Amino acid sequence: MLAASGKLDRRELTRALLTDRGEMLVIAGLGAPAWDITAIGDCAENLPLWGGMGGAAMIGLGLALAQPKRKVLVITGDGEMLMGIGALATIAVQKPANLSIVVQDNEHYGETGMQETATRHGVDLVMMAKGAGISNTMFVTKPDEVPALHKAIHAGKGPFFAVAKIDATSKPLVLPPREGALLQARMREAVMGPAAHHQL
């Protein structure tokens, strides 16, 4: 799971996190996380974001509150999480036990030219989450820590927040459907049943 850089391979990390996912709902921030969950296996329980940078955690919160019996996992990047950092305060106050957020931190804005993000210069997203009031956190840098990360995601003792340091190398693109209305509708039907589209 380690890349040549000594950091985690992001796609293999995603594969490990989605193993035995059951009925878990997955929100992926725009860019690499969306490509990765699609590469592992596109399905109706996935909502890969094509836009709305900074919104992944809040979409995950809304879904977790609306579906308290379903585990919800947000996989996003460091740039996207930095843009939506205020979400952590709201998540901490709402305390959804079924919500986990994993930030795949390559210290770069991968979709806009690999500019360095603030985490490249010492900004600590785990400490920011703790400061917001999220006490259940992890910082992952080694493959042997991934099983514990997987266990924490599935434990249902959220809100849970983790940062995993990943290699910045690009991966082959595996693109999900481009139509946002389709992605939303298929998840809605997966959660609420075939009649859900009549309730829109």
Side-chain angles (χ1 to χ4, degrees), residues 13-32:
L13 173 62
T14 301
R15 187 183 307 280
L17 298 185
L18 297 184
T19 297
D20 300 322
R21 63 183 279 181
E23 295 187 336
M24 185 168 65
L25 304 173
V26 179
I27 307 295
L30 79 167

Side-chain angles (χ1 to χ4, degrees), residues 99-139:
L99 177 63
S100 298
I101 300 168
V102 175
V103 178
Q104 295 192 343
D105 182 7
N106 67 359
E107 303 177 349
H108 292 83
Y109 292 102
E111 303 308 309
T112 59
M114 295 301 287
Q115 303 92 340
E116 294 178 352
T117 69
T119 63
R120 180 77 171 179
H121 301 277
V123 170
D124 188 333
L125 290 171
V126 170
M127 289 300 294
M128 294 177 85
K130 287 181 177 180
I134 299 174
S135 59
N136 191 5
T137 63
M138 283 184 70
F139 183 72

Side-chain angles (χ1 to χ4, degrees), residues 5-170:
S5 65
K7 294 185 177 180
L8 295 168
D9 180 293
R10 70 165 214 254
R11 192 155 288 175
E12 290 306 310
L13 173 62
T14 301
R15 187 183 307 280
L17 298 185
L18 297 184
T19 297
D20 300 322
R21 63 183 279 181
E23 295 187 336
M24 185 168 65
L25 304 173
V26 179
I27 307 295
L30 79 167
W35 320 151
D36 291 345
I37 68 166
T38 305
I40 304 311
D42 187 41
C43 65
E45 289 78 11
N46 287 352
L47 185 63
L49 302 184
W50 279 95
M53 187 169 177
M58 287 305 283
I59 293 171
L61 172 62
L63 192 57
L65 293 176
Q67 297 294 324
K69 295 182 180 179
R70 300 283 289 264
K71 292 183 176 66
V72 176
L73 170 63
V74 175
I75 302 176
T76 194
D78 47 308
E80 204 273 350
M81 192 68 250
L82 284 163
M83 182 170 280
I85 201 69
L88 298 179
T90 305
I91 289 167
V93 171
Q94 292 294 319
K95 296 180 174 61
N98 56 330
L99 177 63
S100 298
I101 300 168
V102 175
V103 178
Q104 295 192 343
D105 182 7
N106 67 359
E107 303 177 349
H108 292 83
Y109 292 102
E111 303 308 309
T112 59
M114 295 301 287
Q115 303 92 340
E116 294 178 352
T117 69
T119 63
R120 180 77 171 179
H121 301 277
V123 170
D124 188 333
L125 290 171
V126 170
M127 289 300 294
M128 294 177 85
K130 287 181 177 180
I134 299 174
S135 59
N136 191 5
T137 63
M138 283 184 70
F139 183 72
V140 178
T141 60
K142 301 174 183 177
D144 61 8
E145 296 168 334
V146 173
L149 176 59
H150 183 278
K151 184 176 181 180
I153 289 167
H154 290 269
K157 297 180 180 178
F160 171 69
F161 182 89
V163 169
K165 287 290 187 177
I166 60 165
D167 182 71
T169 304
S170 295

